[in-house]
Amino acid sequence: MKRINFTTVALLVYLLVIGFISWPGKNPQITFHEYWVIILITLGLIVLLRFVQIKRYKLREKRRKEEENASKK
């Protein structure tokens, strides 16, 4: 789980940095609507990735326990 948390935090920091760099007040080529759509889509993808990582981790742990039980018999 530590690896999943590290990945999530790293991606959130990346999102903050990119959000700061591309702030529409400093970059007149981007409108506020486009800015927030991009930020929210990216945030949604980070959350989706976290759920997928957690699901894969739980599945891996379940398989590991099944293999341990099978080897004990």
Side-chain angles (χ1 to χ4, degrees):
M1 281 303 262
K2 290 180 183 180
R3 189 173 180 183
I4 294 170
N5 292 336
F6 177 75
T7 305
T8 303
V9 169
L11 288 172
L12 289 173
V13 168
Y14 170 78
L15 179 61
L16 286 173
V17 170
I18 294 301
F20 180 75
I21 290 171
S22 63
W23 180 252
K26 294 181 179 182
N27 189 357
Q29 297 171 342
I30 300 174
T31 64
F32 279 99
H33 176 49
E34 291 172 342
Y35 174 79
W36 287 112
V37 167
I38 291 169
I39 294 295
L40 290 176
I41 288 173
T42 306
L43 185 61
L45 290 174
I46 291 171
V47 170
L48 179 66
L49 176 64
R50 180 172 173 79
F51 283 123
V52 169
Q53 286 179 320
I54 290 171
K55 185 171 180 139
R56 287 182 65 203
Y57 176 77
K58 287 180 181 180
L59 183 60
R60 193 176 304 134
E61 288 297 316
K62 181 180 176 184
R63 286 182 184 168
R64 184 178 300 154
K65 286 180 183 179
E66 289 175 356
E67 288 176 3
E68 287 176 5
N69 290 339
S71 66
K72 288 181 182 179
K73 290 183 180 181

